């Protein structure tokens, strides 16, 4: 019997990897035989957390195999999941996103809550099961909460996330503010990366009406530095649209210090972007004050505009 | 601000109504302003439980209204839900079925577990929240578990359902076996009902591949009595297929004493039914020994055959 694979979404962020590690550990403590894996290599931010807590990065997998038992964390939409997700047997999902393009043949465990981070829900599940959390697992979980909530600045952040982060910070023996800022900054070393790599750091696809919309997000402490590479980024977006079949590519560049984002948009229909955010694109760009959350401040608005 | 509507599926069974009553009460205790409603009138089985515990049947609603806040229990598939489900704001789902044809624009609470009855999950949520359960609410919940598990005889029944039923039987001051059998028998008075009514007592639609499959289930203590009305039932199935656009109509007649079911099938492709159950239809009928659960012993097998 092969192990049950536990994984987060493609282009894994710190929650996709941290929640997979934490949920796999919980399931093993409850008697299952699972392995946390990842659908891509860790970002520099995630690698910072893995190194800090001396955790080995999960093995990268491309496919689970037909009929394989799997457990999903931090996502549910099939196009964000493992390549052969439709052929697997999904036992369990823990997530904090909307539900869409998700389907099973059988009843399953599904635990979703509208909180800022999957790891916040996983902490609750540890408590309900009465299972204690090792220091390094708690460290990956608190890193996930810091990452998803941008150190509590995102509108997706709930009081439960803050409380969970405090508890996990104690278990993992870190100072939230100093560790958190160091970890977030580790993910903003962008200048040595190609435009292709930047667009793929944290990107997800969303079917909206009959359009295939790609939304990538980059965190930075210097918006101008990223936008100085506009031409290079637009060329890479054009190529990605052609080769991957995206109709519309939206890059969300988020300043984690100011909590603002600038959009760079390629493809059509651009007017849906303008409609969604009540703004005009100038030179394919728009500054969105106070916008830091793709999930709460970008995807629903676009979905509405496309509806 | 209008109340948040809490409801189970169309053609409500005892769990659809019992879990709605129980979950609405829990949410109200937790500070929400909800109302348990139903997408149809109670069956005789459910009415037996409502009368026994002196509970008023939930108001029947046809639509929630665009943008209305709703909470679903005991279902998720949109075609089984309220007519305007796609235009509502789904806050929460508690369910024990597969997930399919379900989609939201926003993150939500979703709690699914592969147990025999939604009310078993709702009991767990009461405990997690530390909220006590009034006698009549416990009575509707235990009635739901008895109904969904056919007094623990269904293969969908798990140890958790049995344990939950025992706890709820104590809270509601009933003897499980005698109350349970009386309640189930109350739902098997079929002779005074028209074929149209029988086909609609507990019927659900399932999109399978490009076919619209209707699967109705009737509980009885006398298979022959039901099957003596085959011609009348087939005529009613033919009319339902024409007027409602079903391709295939499967009636599952379940003997709750012997735990067997006989199928009566109208429409096409009939060979998928034969393939699903490894049987031959004779006179459009087939006896399936040991089959009592649509969810576990009918829908997955058909889904597989259609895949």
């Amino acid at each position: 019997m092969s192990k049950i694979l536990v994984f987060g979404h493609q282009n894994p962020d710190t929650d996709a990897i941290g929640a997979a590690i934490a949920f796999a550990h919980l399931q093993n403590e409850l008697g299952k035989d699972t392995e946390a894996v990842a659908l891509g290599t860790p970002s520099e931010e995630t690698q910072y957390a893995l190194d800090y807590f001396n955790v080995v990065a999960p093995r990268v997998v491309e496919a689970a195999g037909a009929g394989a038992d799997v457990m999903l964390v931090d996502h549910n939409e099939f196009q964000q999941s493992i390549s052969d997700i439709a052929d697997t047997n999904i036992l369990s999902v823990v997530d904090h996103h909307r539900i869409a393009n998700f389907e099973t043949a059988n009843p399953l465990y599904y635990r979703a809550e509208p909180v800022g981070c999957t790891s916040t829900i996983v902490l609750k599940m540890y408590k309900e099961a009465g299972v204690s959390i090792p220091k390094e697992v708690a460290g990956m979980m608190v890193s996930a909460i810091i990452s998803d909530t941008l150190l509590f600045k995102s509108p997706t952040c709930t009081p439960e996330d803050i409380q969970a982060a405090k508890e996990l910070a104690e278990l993992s023996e870190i100072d939230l503010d100093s560790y958190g800022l160091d970890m977030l900054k580790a993910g903003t070393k962008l200048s040595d990366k190609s435009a292709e790599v930047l667009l793929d750091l944290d990107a997800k696809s969303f079917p909206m009406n009959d359009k295939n919309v790609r939304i990538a997000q980059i965190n930075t402490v210097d918006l101008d530095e990223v936008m100085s590479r506009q031409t290079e980024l637009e060329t890479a977006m054009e190529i990605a649209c052609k080769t991957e079949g995206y109709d519309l590519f939206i890059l969300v560049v988020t300043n984690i210090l100011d909590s603002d984002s600038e959009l760079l948009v390629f493809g059509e229909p651009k007017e849906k972007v303008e409609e969604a955010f009540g703004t005009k694109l100038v030179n394919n760009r728009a500054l969105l004050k106070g916008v830091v959350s793709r999930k709460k401040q970008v995807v629903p608005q676009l979905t509405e505009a496309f509806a």
Side-chain angles (χ1 to χ4, degrees), chain A residues 226-297:
Chain A
V226 179
M227 285 305 175
S228 70
R229 299 170 65 183
Q230 179 174 352
T231 311
E232 182 193 352
L233 286 164
E234 285 178 332
T235 304
M237 290 160 95
E238 182 177 4
I239 292 170
C241 285
K242 274 187 189 153
T243 57
E244 304 295 331
Y246 310 132
D247 298 295
L248 183 66
F249 200 128
I250 302 171
L251 173 64
V252 183
V253 187
T254 300
N255 185 326
I256 60 172
L257 301 180
D258 297 348
S259 301
D260 295 327
S261 292
E262 186 154 13
L263 302 185
L264 178 62
V265 182
F266 183 87
E268 294 300 335
K270 283 201 187 65
E271 65 273 15
K272 293 293 182 191
V273 179
E274 297 184 327
E275 187 186 330
F277 304 105
T279 186
K280 282 281 163 200
L281 292 173
V282 176
N283 186 22
N284 303 325
R285 290 160 56 174
L287 183 69
L288 304 180
K289 299 293 284 182
V291 168
V292 297
S293 166
R294 173 171 54 196
K295 185 170 74 169
K296 205 147 185 164
Q297 297 174 298

Side-chain angles (χ1 to χ4, degrees), chain A residues 188-207:
Chain A
T188 65
K189 287 175 196 147
L190 307 176
S191 55
D192 60 342
K193 295 189 176 63
S194 71
E196 289 74 20
V197 168
L198 290 182
L199 293 179
D200 216 35
L201 279 179
D202 177 11
K204 294 181 179 175
S205 298
F206 300 87

Side-chain angles (χ1 to χ4, degrees), chain A residues 138-194:
Chain A
M140 292 311 299
M141 293 167 78
V142 70
S143 300
I145 298 174
I146 293 164
S147 171
D148 268 14
T149 67
L150 286 179
L151 204 42
F152 317 131
K153 282 186 187 160
S154 169
T156 59
C157 184
T158 70
E160 270 193 78
D161 296 299
I162 298 172
Q163 181 55 36
K166 284 180 180 164
E167 290 177 41
L168 291 164
E170 204 155 302
L171 286 173
S172 57
E173 299 170 22
I174 58 155
D175 177 79
L176 265 178
D177 285 329
S178 66
Y179 172 83
L181 207 56
D182 286 347
M183 187 198 79
L184 290 176
K185 280 187 182 165
T188 65
K189 287 175 196 147
L190 307 176
S191 55
D192 60 342
K193 295 189 176 63
S194 71

